[in-house]
Amino acid sequence: MIIARIINGATQIIYKNKKNIHLATGLDENNQLSESSIKRGIECLELFAERLNGFPPENVRIVATYTLRVASNRHKFLKAAAKILPYPIEIISGQEEARLVYLGTMTAEPTSSIDTKFVIDIGGGSTEIAIGKGNDLKPIIVASRPMGCVTFNKRFFPQQKIDEESFQRAKLAAEQQIETMISTIKKQNITVAFGTSGTIKSIHHILLDLGVSDGIITPKRLDDLVSYVLDFETFDDITYPSLSDERKQVFVSGLAIFCGVFNALGLSSLQYSSNALREGVLYELIGGPNYRDIRQTTAESLSKHYNIDQRHAMQVVKTAKYFFLQWKEQAQIDIPICVESILYWAALLHEVGLKINFSSVHKHSSYILQNSNLPGFNEEQQLLLSTLVRYHRKSINIEAFPYFSLFEFKHIISLLQILRLSILINNQRSTEINLNAFRLKLVKDKLTKMTFEIDTNFVESNKLILLDLEQEQKYWQAINDWSLSIMLL
């Protein structure tokens, strides 16, 4: 946990706390998280919650990584956490984690505008890799692989005994995990490399213990360190001053992963950076210099990549904003701006699957959005985006909606209804539709029941829209407590 304040535009860290609970040790072969691990995690969050008491929600961001990404019973953890924390926990993808690690590192490390920069972070359950060029804080390559010091510990060193055969097997397994990336990464011609977090921090400090004054990791120094470590028989026997008893339990497996990656990529040197994921999250939370929401950039890039009809997409976005404003003036609830924004991104991207075919464009678009790397989006934001797009047309299966811990169901339904109407009235793809011809009214403050008022003169020159709306009425009628009335004025 990091707490910071902004003074004259500069970030000042005023509190840090870290507790290693090794959540990944609680995952069984079915990726079920054990009760004891959940308990450890919740107890840690209880401590952090004391220090966060009174902070406004918009000033707090909590992210979860590998273990909650893969845990099949993660909702049990999230529900328990919700009872002690008034702030949502965002589960981020491995690629998003790699992007944030890169961002956190590059905001602190001085590099040249001509450098190609490599960053690696070995965590408990996964390893993140990112590569970027020049002064751009957005990496050009991000990757996450399911290998971490905790999971490799269970797999290769279950008895906490050190032997060369187990170490080499772990090292080879790490190389295999990045095998498909090696050629691509080498072509980038890396000029400077950084490593972050526990394993690489420990390697750096052990080198200092051994008299290496700069602590920089080179092939020779790494080979020597491995030879030293393999002389010990068990984890507890390792006797480097800087290595805590807690870190000893996962150091050997982390070292094997690092060696596998370092050697496979042919790195000539790597230096430790104290900045990583937390600093990247903090940078985006406070806005950073000249910060622009990375999600907007992502949406726009995806729109261009799939050659979306920009004029039509922006007209749908404009319509969605027009209807949302009318809805907001009548509704008795507020939808957070961060959720409202997903409505507009769904409007922008609802046709990314059009290249495949039109008849199932909603399914194709949803699949693309759910399975693409979307920098800036956490797991649930990406899932909500793909869900809205999946049901933007044709029938709606409420029972098939995924579970969301970050969003309220009533908000999702309202966004979906607005999105469907926004897309429907733009079916004719005219150059400019007169939005003043439409008025959206809630029926007796019922969020899911609407009256759609349309100017008669508009209908006279756009008669097909009535047929589309009549079909839309049928889709709404099939859902309990939904209704759409059409009124010509």
Side-chain angles (χ1 to χ4, degrees):
M1 177 171 66
I2 294 179
I3 299 177
R5 63 179 178 177
I6 310 303
I7 301 177
N8 297 324
T11 305
Q12 182 182 75
I13 305 296
I14 59 175
Y15 182 77
K16 273 190 177 185
N17 198 333
K18 180 178 181 178
K19 294 199 173 295
N20 289 318
I21 57 171
H22 297 152
L23 205 60
T25 59
L27 290 171
D28 63 17
E29 62 275 8
N30 298 314
N31 281 334
Q32 280 273 326
L33 195 56
S34 67
E35 292 291 339
S36 59
S37 287
I38 292 175
K39 185 172 182 288
R40 290 199 310 274
I42 297 303
E43 287 174 349
C44 176
L45 291 179
E46 280 180 324
L47 290 175
F48 288 178
E50 292 179 9
R51 188 54 57 96
L52 294 174
N53 185 36
F55 277 70
E58 63 271 18
N59 287 9
V60 179
R61 189 175 181 199
I62 304 173
V63 299
T65 55
Y66 174 80
T67 302
L68 290 189
R69 277 201 294 269
V70 303
S72 56
N73 60 338
R74 63 184 181 183
H75 300 312
K76 188 171 185 178
F77 183 97
L78 294 174
K79 287 178 180 178
K83 295 178 181 178
I84 60 170
L85 274 172
Y87 314 105
I89 295 177
E90 304 175 42
I91 299 173
I92 58 175
S93 69
Q95 291 174 316
E96 176 66 359
E97 183 179 355
R99 182 188 72 84
L100 288 168
V101 168
Y102 183 86
L103 176 63
T105 304
M106 289 303 108
T107 55
E109 298 298 336
T111 57
S112 165
S113 60
I114 61 173
D115 275 328
T116 297
K117 296 165 285 192
F118 171 90
V119 178
I120 180 172
D121 185 309
I122 300 171
S126 64
T127 292
E128 278 63 50
I129 291 171
I131 298 171
K133 291 182 179 291
N135 295 324
D136 193 350
L137 293 177
K138 182 180 179 181
I140 57 173
I141 295 175
V142 289
S144 177
R145 293 294 183 263
M147 54 182 183
C149 57
V150 173
T151 52
F152 264 41
N153 223 30
K154 293 168 65 176
R155 181 178 170 187
F156 296 103
F157 306 96
Q159 306 301 320
Q160 297 191 339
K161 291 184 179 180
I162 303 173
D163 64 86
E164 186 167 0
E165 181 182 354
S166 298
F167 188 88
Q168 292 301 328
R169 285 174 54 231
K171 178 183 170 183
L172 180 61
E175 291 181 23
Q176 289 175 325
Q177 282 290 340
I178 65 163
E179 187 175 12
T180 57
M181 300 175 57
I182 294 173
S183 176
T184 301
I185 292 176
K186 284 186 174 181
K187 287 178 182 177
Q188 302 305 315
N189 296 319
I190 296 164
T191 58
V192 59
F194 297 96
T196 71
S197 299
T199 292
I200 296 166
K201 179 181 180 180
S202 296
I203 295 173
H204 168 77
H205 283 298
I206 290 174
L207 289 177
L208 295 178
D209 291 341
L210 295 173
V212 177
S213 59
D214 57 14
I216 293 176
I217 303 168
T218 65
K220 173 67 166 58
R221 292 170 180 177
L222 188 60
D223 288 344
D224 289 345
L225 176 58
V226 171
S227 297
Y228 297 149
V229 170
L230 290 179
D231 282 340
F232 298 109
E233 293 186 2
T234 69
F235 291 178
D236 288 330
D237 292 336
I238 303 175
T239 55
Y240 294 116
S242 62
L243 198 65
S244 68
D245 289 340
E246 189 174 46
R247 177 54 59 178
K248 286 180 184 179
Q249 309 310 311
V250 292
F251 176 69
V252 178
S253 53
L255 178 62
I257 293 170
F258 180 73
C259 286
V261 175
F262 191 93
N263 294 336
L265 296 181
L267 298 177
S268 59
S269 67
L270 181 142
Q271 52 192 299
Y272 166 67
S273 174
S274 59
N275 278 27
L277 173 64
R278 291 175 301 181
E279 287 75 17
V281 172
L282 179 63
Y283 182 88
E284 289 198 335
L285 180 63
I286 65 175
N290 305 314
Y291 173 73
R292 181 179 187 235
D293 192 333
I294 186 67
R295 293 172 300 173
Q296 182 64 31
T297 303
T298 295
E300 292 171 359
S301 297
L302 203 64
S303 174
K304 292 176 182 176
H305 178 76
Y306 285 96
N307 296 316
I308 286 175
D309 182 341
Q310 294 294 316
R311 183 204 55 76
H312 173 66
M314 292 311 299
Q315 181 61 34
V316 175
V317 172
K318 180 179 177 181
T319 305
K321 290 181 177 180
Y322 176 75
F323 286 151
F324 184 83
L325 182 60
Q326 293 184 3
W327 177 92
K328 187 176 181 180
E329 290 173 347
Q330 302 170 68
Q332 299 300 309
I333 62 171
D334 288 326
I335 290 184
I337 185 64
C338 60
V339 183
E340 177 188 344
S341 297
I342 295 177
L343 166 64
Y344 306 139
W345 291 321
L348 178 67
L349 299 171
H350 72 279
E351 288 188 338
V352 294
L354 195 57
K355 274 190 172 181
I356 302 175
N357 68 45
F358 172 74
S359 62
S360 296
V361 62
H362 52 306
K363 296 179 182 178
H364 300 316
S365 296
S366 177
Y367 180 85
I368 289 171
L369 293 174
Q370 180 56 32
N371 292 280
S372 297
N373 173 32
L374 302 186
F377 287 81
N378 65 44
E379 191 176 86
E380 284 205 8
Q381 289 168 344
Q382 185 165 353
L383 184 58
L384 175 57
L385 178 65
S386 99
T387 300
L388 291 175
V389 169
R390 168 63 179 84
Y391 294 104
H392 82 258
R393 66 194 290 266
K394 296 193 174 182
S395 59
I396 307 159
N397 183 3
I398 295 292
E399 299 300 320
F401 276 36
Y403 169 81
F404 292 96
S405 64
L406 299 182
F407 310 114
E408 294 188 48
F409 184 73
K410 60 184 178 182
H411 292 172
I412 296 171
I413 295 304
S414 294
L415 295 183
L416 179 60
Q417 290 180 330
I418 292 170
L419 178 66
R420 288 177 68 94
L421 292 174
S422 301
I423 294 171
L424 184 148
I425 70 166
N426 284 284
N427 276 346
Q428 67 270 47
R429 307 178 87 91
S430 62
T431 54
E432 185 66 34
I433 192 169
N434 179 19
L435 293 179
N436 291 324
F438 302 92
R439 284 166 294 280
L440 184 155
K441 291 189 176 179
L442 299 181
V443 178
K444 297 179 181 178
D445 299 327
K446 295 278 188 177
L447 293 178
T448 57
K449 297 184 177 183
M450 297 183 183
T451 296
F452 202 48
E453 298 179 350
I454 313 176
D455 189 287
T456 304
N457 293 330
F458 179 88
V459 175
E460 285 298 316
S461 56
N462 298 274
K463 294 182 179 179
L464 278 177
I465 198 168
L466 278 182
L467 293 177
D468 289 338
L469 283 168
E470 287 170 3
Q471 178 60 56
E472 185 69 4
Q473 280 183 307
K474 294 177 182 178
Y475 290 137
W476 288 40
Q477 287 170 0
I479 303 173
N480 184 43
D481 211 31
W482 282 39
S483 73
L484 178 64
S485 302
I486 304 168
M487 184 178 294
L488 301 183
L489 299 177

